[in-house]
Amino acid sequence: MTNPHGKRRGTRDMFARDFRKRGMIPLSTYMKCYKNGDIVDIKGCGTVTKGMPHKVYHGKTGRVYNVTKRAVGVIVNKRVRGDILAKKINLRVEHISHSKCRDDFLNRVVKNELVKKEARPPESMSAHDVHPLTPEQPTPSREREFQSKKSAPSDTNLSHKFLFMIFIYEKKKKKKN
């Protein structure tokens, strides 16, 4: 027998329902609310042949871009000869479910916020007191001494040419007085 070339070739196990999960689809499938921007997983359900995804999209994750009465529009990445294209496909709600890929990220964000809150020093502690969970505060820099403009420049910091110019300038000042 030759190799078949149909749309549903090689999908015997892919679209088959699980053991003891055959028959009517639970009503909770239809009661789920999908909104634009939701992340969904695509899994073809063999019971409902209408609005079924092609086998290429089975197991893929996409983002909802359109919601209608019985179906949902999903944007999915598909690899075509080395390029990754964003494909828009319309699926019935029986073939999609909310993805749990973002749950771990959101839980980690909440956990990190709690750790940050615990690490903050309480209001009663001054700014210089070091909290055990925060890194040590840097030591304050020394007070620097600045020379005022009125005071004469020191000889050690100036070059010889500049000193000579100052000497000539002071001589001219004395002559005018």
Side-chain angles (χ1 to χ4, degrees):
M1 188 174 174
T2 60
N3 199 15
H5 299 286
K7 282 186 199 174
R8 292 183 64 170
R9 179 188 113 177
T11 60
R12 173 186 275 183
D13 296 327
M14 188 184 290
F15 291 147
R17 302 282 305 274
D18 294 336
F19 181 62
R20 290 188 180 160
K21 302 275 181 167
R22 300 172 200 277
M24 280 186 60
I25 297 169
L27 288 177
S28 61
T29 306
Y30 299 102
M31 300 298 285
K32 288 179 185 170
C33 182
Y34 295 99
K35 297 176 183 174
N36 286 353
D38 284 354
I39 299 173
V40 292
D41 291 330
I42 300 169
K43 183 182 178 188
C45 176
T47 309
V48 182
T49 52
K50 270 190 167 184
M52 184 181 270
H54 190 267
K55 62 184 177 183
V56 171
Y57 301 109
H58 185 81
K60 298 273 194 270
T61 302
R63 192 173 287 272
V64 174
Y65 79 94
N66 186 23
V67 180
T68 60
K69 194 159 86 171
R70 291 184 191 87
V72 172
V74 180
I75 297 175
V76 187
N77 288 336
K78 181 183 178 187
R79 188 164 167 264
V80 180
R81 295 193 183 116
D83 294 334
I84 295 175
L85 305 176
K87 305 285 280 187
K88 289 184 175 183
I89 57 174
N90 295 313
L91 308 167
R92 283 179 75 113
V93 291
E94 295 91 347
H95 307 293
I96 61 172
S97 61
H98 284 286
S99 180
K100 295 183 179 175
C101 66
R102 197 150 167 82
D103 290 350
D104 184 43
F105 170 73
L106 294 175
N107 291 338
R108 197 168 69 243
V109 168
V110 170
K111 186 178 143 197
N112 288 344
E113 288 300 321
L114 288 172
V115 170
K116 282 182 194 174
K117 194 172 183 181
E118 291 172 2
R120 283 191 203 121
E123 314 321 339
S124 62
M125 292 179 74
S126 66
H128 295 290
D129 294 338
V130 178
H131 196 267
L133 295 178
T134 57
E136 288 187 24
Q137 298 292 330
T139 55
S141 59
R142 304 184 294 193
E143 295 283 333
R144 295 190 180 193
E145 296 178 12
F146 293 101
Q147 289 181 349
S148 64
K149 292 180 181 178
K150 294 177 183 176
S151 65
S154 63
D155 294 339
T156 55
N157 296 337
L158 302 174
S159 66
H160 294 293
K161 290 181 182 178
F162 191 66
L163 282 174
F164 184 71
M165 290 172 62
I166 290 174
F167 181 71
I168 293 172
Y169 178 73
E170 287 176 355
K171 268 190 175 181
K172 286 183 182 177
K173 247 186 176 180
K174 285 182 183 178
K175 284 183 183 178
K176 286 182 183 177
N177 292 336

